Amino acid sequence: MTIQLFPLESVSKLRRNTCVSELVEIAVRRGEGRLAATGAFAVETGQHTGRSAEDKYIVRDHNSETAIWWDNAKEMSEEQFERLLTDFITFAKHKELFVQDLFAGADPEHRLNTRVVTEYAWHALFIRHLLRRPDASELAGFVPDFTVVNLPSFRAAPLYHGTRSETVIACDFTRRIVLIGGTSYAGETKKAVFSFLNYILPAKGVMPMHCSANVGTDAASAVFFGLSGTGKTTLSADPSRTLLGDDEHGWSAQGIFNFEGGCYAKTIRLSKSAEPEIWDASNRFATVLENVVLKAPANTPDFDDNRLAENARSAYPLDAIANASASGTAGHPRNIVMLTADAFGVLPPIAKLTPSQAMYHFLSGFTAKVAGTEKGMGSEPKPTFSTCFGAPFMPRHPSVYGNLLRQLIAEHDVDCWLVNTGWTGGQFGQGTRMPIKVTRALLDAALTGDLKNQTMRIDPIFGFKVPVMLPGIDGRLMTPRDTWADPKAYDRAASKLATMFAKNFEKFEAYVDADVRRAGPVADRQAAAE
């Protein structure tokens, strides 16, 4: 179904499908950013250095009324959206705009013809990197199924448009259009596309996933779920495996496929030694560096400087990664990895999950923010539960995605793992960060199938299976309680975290089977075992 609501013929000057080099030239000429010494194009987004979650709205109409998880979404009326759309059209008439016609989705059966209209040349460059480019023959007959209009200099009028502020991300999923105004952060466009795919694909039996994915030499694929800071991009960028993508994928009857044609990697404290693939991709011509400081006098990117943003990012096409998949598709995954950065120091470095436990932890989406990184956090880590490892982008109820994932796991006999990239030997400030070499060694063993054949123990609180040992790994790490100086302090911390899990999961209990409800941790299970 194609609905065209934004009349481009009324725009005074329009540039269609402008190539990368020309977009860089235009962006430099217009003063939208600066060229780094590496040839990358560096931009600053001002006050908005991340998503404006509180300014995102979904139109509530006869279709979305029962389809949207309104507990997790802000609504906008059809009348308010119509006023906003009219003002966007009027505002755009006297602008020079850029149009990019692109595909969202590597699988031709499920891809979305996406038209992105931008005010900034660098936004057009960004989305040209991030989505998939049609060839000339495909462009000749291109008809958009979905449109995103991004006008950063537009300011919403809260009383008139029904918004919270002058910033707005308004999604009309029935009419297949998203309007973005008042923010220069490029990630809003990318996530608008992802949100719409998350809305339409489940009805087709396709599981949309906020995950990275790669493929081994045996053609077996692996999926990595994880929130920001858990290592999703880093761990999937394994030089010994083919990278499918770093952020958004679908799982259909044919296998998994990347939604995107590029990567949007965090760059703060990026180093060539730790992440050589991402480093090289971030230091090449036309890569977009968002809020990365350039050091004078040579304009060299300084990835250690967070003055502009902790959420500094690099956007580049997948072909900038030497071992990236050209097709963006792979067979059904053999392994699913759920990444968590447990700053409480409670979870083991890796655990094997049953299908019910996988659904429980997928719906929970747990990680922890480190104490002191945000104002008002206090002295202890702060638990973060983001259902489906991406709640802001999941417009339908989490049970829709959870049940679909569980069905696919069972149908394709997928091994599921929970991996803790956080702390061991105590919580943040007392223990130490899980060694990356240990995480990589355990992941390698899991993905090759060796780990599931090792001797396992049942964790007394969380109930999942934990390998007792792996050659070359300090055996104490496999039992977190043994790494703490005070085992009783570990028991208290584990019981506290288990209680947090249970409290968070209460909102899902009415939507899942009894075996999933029983799959979570039990705070007093340790005491019962003793």
Side-chain angles (χ1 to χ4, degrees), residues 215-226:
V215 186
T217 54
D218 57 357
S221 63
V223 165
F224 300 78
F225 289 105

Side-chain angles (χ1 to χ4, degrees), residues 105-108 132 242-244 256-258 260 318 324-330:
D107 184 342
R132 307 185 72 85
T242 299
L243 177 68
L244 206 65
I256 60 175
F257 62 98
N258 193 355
E260 300 182 302
L318 268 171
S325 166
S327 70
T329 62

Side-chain angles (χ1 to χ4, degrees), residues 105-126:
D107 184 342
E109 183 179 349
H110 301 295
R111 72 188 180 197
L112 184 71
N113 287 11
T114 303
R115 172 163 290 167
V116 180
V117 182
T118 65
E119 179 182 358
Y120 294 164
W122 81 263
H123 274 178
L125 176 65
F126 168 88

Side-chain angles (χ1 to χ4, degrees), residues 161-202:
H161 297 124
T163 59
R164 182 188 71 98
S165 71
E166 293 183 336
T167 300
V168 62
I169 303 95
C171 312
D172 188 329
F173 289 156
T174 296
R175 298 199 288 180
R176 296 176 167 233
I177 185 169
V178 173
L179 305 176
I180 301 171
T183 172
S184 297
Y185 178 65
E188 295 289 9
T189 300
K190 162 189 158 72
K191 291 306 183 185
V193 177
F194 186 39
S195 296
F196 185 65
L197 287 168
N198 289 344
Y199 176 73
I200 63 170
L201 288 180

Side-chain angles (χ1 to χ4, degrees), residues 230-242:
T230 58
K232 178 164 56 74
T233 298
T234 299
L235 293 171
S236 62
D238 184 338
S240 67
R241 296 172 65 85
T242 299

Side-chain angles (χ1 to χ4, degrees), residues 168-428:
V168 62
I169 303 95
C171 312
D172 188 329
F173 289 156
T174 296
R175 298 199 288 180
R176 296 176 167 233
I177 185 169
V178 173
L179 305 176
I180 301 171
T183 172
S184 297
Y185 178 65
E188 295 289 9
T189 300
K190 162 189 158 72
K191 291 306 183 185
V193 177
F194 186 39
S195 296
F196 185 65
L197 287 168
N198 289 344
Y199 176 73
I200 63 170
L201 288 180
K204 300 172 66 176
V206 178
M207 174 68 189
M209 302 178 293
H210 183 217
C211 69
S212 58
N214 61 26
V215 186
T217 54
D218 57 357
S221 63
V223 165
F224 300 78
F225 289 105
L227 298 170
S228 180
T230 58
K232 178 164 56 74
T233 298
T234 299
L235 293 171
S236 62
D238 184 338
S240 67
R241 296 172 65 85
T242 299
L243 177 68
L244 206 65
D246 79 329
D247 199 38
E248 300 166 3
H249 295 79
W251 187 357
S252 72
Q254 287 71 46
I256 60 175
F257 62 98
N258 193 355
F259 288 165
E260 300 182 302
C263 298
Y264 190 37
K266 293 189 73 170
T267 58
I268 197 67
R269 290 172 288 279
L270 175 67
S271 72
K272 187 173 180 62
S273 59
E275 299 174 274
E277 295 82 15
I278 298 174
W279 172 275
D280 289 342
S282 299
N283 286 283
R284 67 194 292 273
F285 174 71
T287 286
V288 174
L289 297 180
E290 193 176 50
N291 297 313
V292 172
V293 173
L294 298 184
K295 289 191 298 185
N299 279 357
T300 305
D302 186 350
F303 297 116
D304 293 322
D305 193 331
N306 67 351
R307 279 179 295 169
L308 294 176
E310 185 73 18
N311 189 38
R313 296 209 175 233
S314 170
Y316 47 86
L318 268 171
D319 59 20
I321 301 291
N323 63 325
S325 166
S327 70
T329 62
H332 298 289
R334 186 176 297 171
N335 290 277
I336 288 178
V337 179
M338 299 184 187
L339 300 166
T340 179
D342 173 25
F344 296 92
V346 167
L347 296 176
I350 197 166
K352 189 156 190 320
L353 306 176
T354 66
S356 297
Q357 288 170 339
M359 183 173 177
Y360 182 95
H361 284 278
F362 178 71
L363 291 176
S364 297
F366 167 72
T367 192
K369 293 180 181 178
V370 173
T373 58
E374 292 186 8
K375 184 178 180 180
M377 273 190 61
S379 59
E380 293 189 357
K382 180 180 179 181
T384 299
F385 294 94
S386 183
T387 186
C388 307
F389 293 96
F393 328 119
M394 304 293 177
R396 295 185 182 273
H397 192 275
S399 61
V400 172
Y401 308 105
N403 284 316
L404 186 52
L405 180 66
R406 185 185 184 190
Q407 173 188 328
L408 288 164
I409 288 171
E411 183 178 346
H412 300 288
D413 192 26
V414 183
D415 290 324
C416 299
W417 307 89
L418 183 70
V419 171
N420 174 23
T421 59
W423 273 256
T424 185
Q427 71 172 29
F428 171 78

Side-chain angles (χ1 to χ4, degrees), residues 480-499:
R481 192 173 190 265
D482 293 347
T483 67
W484 284 53
D486 180 357
K488 292 296 183 182
Y490 169 85
D491 293 340
R492 290 191 294 273
S495 179
K496 181 179 179 180
L497 182 58
T499 300

